[in-house]
Amino acid sequence: MNFDLIISGVVGVLLLYMILKILKLPIKILINGIVGIITLNVINYFGSYIGITVIVNIWTALISGFLGLPGVILVLIYSILM
């Protein structure tokens, strides 16, 4: 057997594993951000019928973007209390 082919295959698999490990966190942050912004807009749309609205500014967008659904809940509770 050609050991160069085996070694290059193993190195390729290890590089792919390392790249996927590195990209896991940014993809998770991106998904949390998308879920947070969509949920914030849904709450504003349906909450306007019952009198619950959240002011969307840079801080609420950042909180709901980074934390996702828990961030939206935090912003909603803050909005209700204030």
Side-chain angles (χ1 to χ4, degrees):
M1 291 190 83
N2 192 356
F3 288 112
D4 293 336
L5 184 63
I6 293 173
I7 290 173
S8 65
V10 169
V11 169
V13 169
L14 288 175
L15 283 174
L16 182 64
Y17 176 75
M18 288 179 4
I19 289 171
L20 290 176
K21 268 303 223 195
I22 291 170
L23 291 178
K24 187 177 181 182
L25 183 64
I27 289 173
K28 184 177 178 183
I29 290 173
L30 180 68
I31 291 172
N32 273 347
I34 291 170
V35 167
I37 297 301
I38 289 173
T39 308
L40 193 63
N41 286 325
V42 167
I43 287 175
N44 273 339
Y45 180 74
F46 290 112
S48 64
Y49 294 118
I50 58 174
I52 297 173
T53 57
V54 177
I55 298 172
V56 179
N57 56 24
I58 188 71
W59 298 111
T60 58
L62 283 173
I63 291 171
S64 63
F66 280 117
L67 298 178
L69 192 58
V72 172
I73 293 171
L74 180 71
V75 168
L76 182 65
I77 290 172
Y78 179 77
S79 175
I80 290 172
L81 292 177
M82 295 313 225

